Amino acid sequence: MESSRPNAQWSAILDVVRSHVSGQRFQTWFQPVRVLDLKSDHLVLEVPNPFFADWFEEHNVPLVVDAFRELGCPSAPKIRLTVSDSYYEQSQNLLTAPATAARPAAAPAGGNGWSHNLYARFVFDNFVVGKANEFSNAAAHAVAQDPGMVYNPLFIYGGTGLGKTHLMQAIGHAVLAKNPNAKVYYGSSEKFMNSMIQAITAGQTIDFRKKYRNLDLLLLDDIHFLSGREATQEEFFHTFNALRDARKQIVVTSDRPPRDIPRIEERLVSRFNSGLVTDIKPPDLETRVAILKANAKRDGSTVPEPVLFLVAEQIQSNIRELEGCLMRLSALSRLMHAPITLDLALEVLSVYARPDETTIGVDLIQRLVARIYEVSVESLRGKKRTSDIAFARQVAMYLTKQLTALTLVDIGKSFGNRDHSTVLYAIRKISDGRKLHPDLDKRIEELTGELRNAGGRRRIERRPPSDPGSQPLWS
Ligand code: ADP
Ligand code: MG
């Protein structure tokens, strides 16, 4: 039963939501939702299908909650999603339909029309093998050699940035190299879920199934994403069976072994364990250096051996970060027209060592320093060099270097477009000054504490407190 009141309130909520999201997002996620009941303490929304519910819960319910607050409700009602009856009526047979019910999809013309989604760079040739990944690498080669025949599924797990996606895609490339007509498809589990939702919403479930169940090789990345998403797991289970029964290869990755994925159906766990489960561990120092070397070579940059070792020693558990650090290093060296030296590397590495990098920003520092030294924020960012402004600016630059992830060049830009040597000079001056003047030292200590607090608080609070008495210093 819908009365007009809940709808009027819901419209108001929708207006707020609409002002925060793109038109496309609004149309996709809010247009199909119907409000069934809205009281001060609960709200029941009807959504078209279970996949939609999964997604909406995670990504859009928080927006609705915020909208209630924005409209002045002290606490948002409890939100419950319910799937429309018509979904179950229409799709009763669909979800359990045997794979054979779907006719084979039209073969892509000569393999060309098929979009496999593989990155060109993720091939075996670019994959450096070391102790930490040799077993997974061997398994991947075996699968690529004989897809569907040896290890099916191949389940690769390991921490982020350790090469799971790379290795999985390398299988795809190798299979395509042998047989360009092979129907290879790479996608994240999230994409799988989204396509499923779209297919259901658009009434194209059959096409969706045709696409996935007629592949020769399915590479499904980050399967742990399906944790708790029962409807998507159900769909994947049928896809899985269809492919494996047809001796088509399935490769999945995850951040942990099958049994440790929370809220995943037992039957999926046992399917995963029936193939080969292998892991990738963080690489050892030699492998990290080898990866950096390979990268530098591809990039055409000359990086001295000691720098490679320094970087490889500092960044141990994530190859993506390792590569990122090297990229930054060569970008910076080009920007500064300076060779890649140990000093430069130390500068870049400091970025990776700062735990506070995301919480304290240069704006916050400038505002606090301006307030304490009684100058304006604009003057800190400006060109004036009167002694009081210049000193406050140096303090702010120093604090920015200490507390944020910004490089000297970035800091210079935030303070009136000064160059990195000016920033370096400021940092030295304040750092020497601290040793000589206990007052300055104490003040910097206090400012640092204040900023750390502010940074921490900002991370927790999503909006400023409404009580003006408790307004924090930086607002
Ligand atoms: P994951 O999927 O495990 O999070 P990726 O496969 O995306 O990690 O790898 C992150 C980055 O590290 C990619 O750029 C990839 O090419 C690179 N990488 C990972 N492992 C290796 C390796 N053994 N050799 C060369 N590059 C690697
Ligand atoms: Mg990945």
Side-chain angles (χ1 to χ4, degrees):
M1 276 284 107
E2 285 177 42
S3 77
S4 59
R5 214 175 83 80
N7 264 334
Q9 274 185 16
W10 181 240
S11 306
I13 295 293
L14 286 184
D15 285 342
V16 174
V17 170
R18 198 185 280 114
S19 69
H20 291 303
V21 300
S22 71
Q24 167 79 30
R25 178 164 171 195
F26 185 82
Q27 200 151 351
T28 311
W29 294 107
F30 288 89
Q31 215 89 300
V33 171
R34 250 164 33 104
V35 53
L36 294 187
D37 193 11
L38 174 52
K39 300 269 161 31
S40 62
D41 61 343
H42 73 267
L43 164 63
V44 183
L45 297 174
E46 186 188 78
V47 296
N49 59 62
F51 308 95
F52 194 106
D54 276 351
W55 187 262
F56 196 88
E57 177 89 51
E58 187 169 341
H59 296 273
N60 295 316
V61 162
L63 285 178
V64 175
V65 170
D66 281 354
F68 272 99
R69 295 220 190 97
E70 225 167 300
L71 288 176
C73 301
S75 63
K78 221 174 162 50
I79 299 173
R80 190 165 65 80
L81 303 177
T82 162
V83 173
S84 120
D85 285 344
S86 66
Y87 164 78
Y88 291 109
E89 283 154 20
Q90 283 162 17
S91 60
Q92 221 175 35
N93 327 324
L94 278 177
L95 267 180
T96 45
T100 44
R103 274 172 289 118
N112 298 331
W114 192 262
S115 146
H116 48 59
N117 292 333
L118 301 176
Y119 306 124
R121 190 166 67 78
F122 285 0
V123 292
F124 282 126
D125 278 351
N126 289 336
F127 194 77
V128 176
V129 183
K131 276 210 186 64
N133 60 23
E134 62 188 356
F135 191 65
S136 290
N137 177 66
H141 274 279
V143 161
Q145 201 62 32
D146 236 345
M149 296 302 170
V150 276
Y151 310 123
N152 206 8
L154 174 62
F155 187 106
I156 306 171
Y157 73 91
T160 24
L162 295 185
K164 302 182 297 294
T165 301
H166 188 143
L167 198 53
M168 147 185 267
Q169 292 208 2
I171 299 174
H173 282 294
V175 165
L176 281 170
K178 275 211 306 198
N179 173 12
N181 288 320
K183 279 178 259 151
V184 173
Y185 178 78
Y186 163 86
S188 64
S189 300
E190 184 172 1
K191 174 98 183 285
F192 179 84
M193 185 176 103
N194 288 346
S195 321
M196 181 72 215
I197 295 170
Q198 267 167 13
I200 292 177
T201 313
Q204 291 164 346
T205 335
I206 306 243
D207 294 335
F208 173 86
R209 296 206 167 117
K210 268 191 208 164
K211 173 177 159 184
Y212 280 95
R213 297 184 189 183
N214 290 291
L215 292 169
D216 296 310
L217 170 60
L218 171 60
L219 307 167
L220 200 62
D221 213 352
D222 297 324
I223 197 92
H224 53 269
F225 174 84
L226 298 189
S227 163
R229 302 176 200 274
E230 288 160 30
T232 316
Q233 286 180 29
E234 161 105 21
E235 179 61 30
F236 175 65
F237 179 73
H238 293 294
T239 305
F240 183 100
N241 288 341
L243 288 172
R244 214 182 57 165
D245 290 350
R247 300 203 147 221
K248 304 300 188 184
Q249 181 71 43
I250 302 147
V251 182
V252 293
T253 68
S254 160
D255 65 352
R256 63 198 78 188
R259 199 155 295 288
D260 294 351
I261 304 175
R263 295 186 293 147
I264 191 127
E265 287 181 34
E266 181 52 36
R267 57 184 183 168
L268 271 178
V269 173
S270 79
R271 290 293 188 288
F272 292 147
N273 284 328
S274 70
L276 180 69
V277 177
T278 90
D279 68 335
I280 302 189
K281 297 193 181 69
D284 54 24
L285 182 66
E286 288 72 29
T287 312
R288 298 201 298 276
V289 172
I291 290 172
L292 286 175
K293 272 191 186 153
N295 262 285
K297 193 166 160 212
R298 208 174 39 232
D299 191 39
S301 45
T302 338
V303 188
E305 193 99 338
V307 171
L308 291 179
F309 270 92
L310 176 74
V311 172
E313 257 163 14
Q314 295 291 315
I315 301 179
Q316 306 190 345
S317 58
N318 186 325
I319 298 173
R320 195 175 294 123
E321 271 188 11
L322 198 65
E323 293 181 337
C325 182
L326 191 71
M327 256 166 52
R328 263 190 113 111
L329 201 53
S330 43
L332 197 62
S333 109
R334 251 169 275 153
L335 196 72
M336 290 165 63
H337 302 292
I340 298 181
T341 57
L342 272 177
D343 274 351
L344 195 67
L346 282 168
E347 157 82 5
V348 168
L349 277 166
S350 64
V351 168
Y352 294 87
R354 299 259 177 253
D356 298 319
E357 64 179 79
T358 52
T359 53
I360 302 174
V362 65
D363 285 358
L364 180 60
I365 295 173
Q366 288 175 337
R367 267 179 287 167
L368 184 66
V369 169
R371 191 166 293 197
I372 298 294
Y373 284 90
E374 297 180 332
V375 296
S376 70
V377 170
E378 286 68 36
S379 67
L380 292 179
R381 296 179 188 154
K383 296 278 178 209
K384 269 210 196 120
R385 289 185 208 193
T386 50
S387 66
D388 54 345
I389 293 175
F391 187 73
R393 193 185 289 131
Q394 286 166 342
V395 168
M397 285 176 172
Y398 172 85
L399 287 168
T400 309
K401 183 68 196 133
Q402 298 300 310
L403 298 172
T404 72
L406 296 177
T407 60
L408 296 178
V409 174
D410 290 335
I411 297 175
K413 281 195 195 133
S414 309
F415 288 88
N417 231 350
R418 291 177 157 75
D419 71 15
H420 74 278
S421 58
T422 311
V423 181
L424 202 57
Y425 172 76
I427 293 168
R428 292 222 175 101
K429 188 173 160 200
I430 300 300
S431 139
D432 292 343
R434 288 185 72 172
K435 288 176 206 144
L436 296 173
H437 307 287
D439 279 352
L440 176 64
D441 189 52
K442 188 157 168 262
R443 173 152 272 193
I444 298 279
E445 217 37 75
E446 284 164 357
L447 282 166
T448 304
E450 187 71 48
L451 285 163
R452 284 230 163 88
N453 269 339
R457 266 180 289 170
R458 257 162 45 122
R459 189 212 288 251
I460 296 159
E461 283 172 11
R462 296 182 54 203
R463 53 187 69 245
S466 48
D467 168 15
S470 63
Q471 279 290 333
L473 190 57
W474 63 91
S475 62

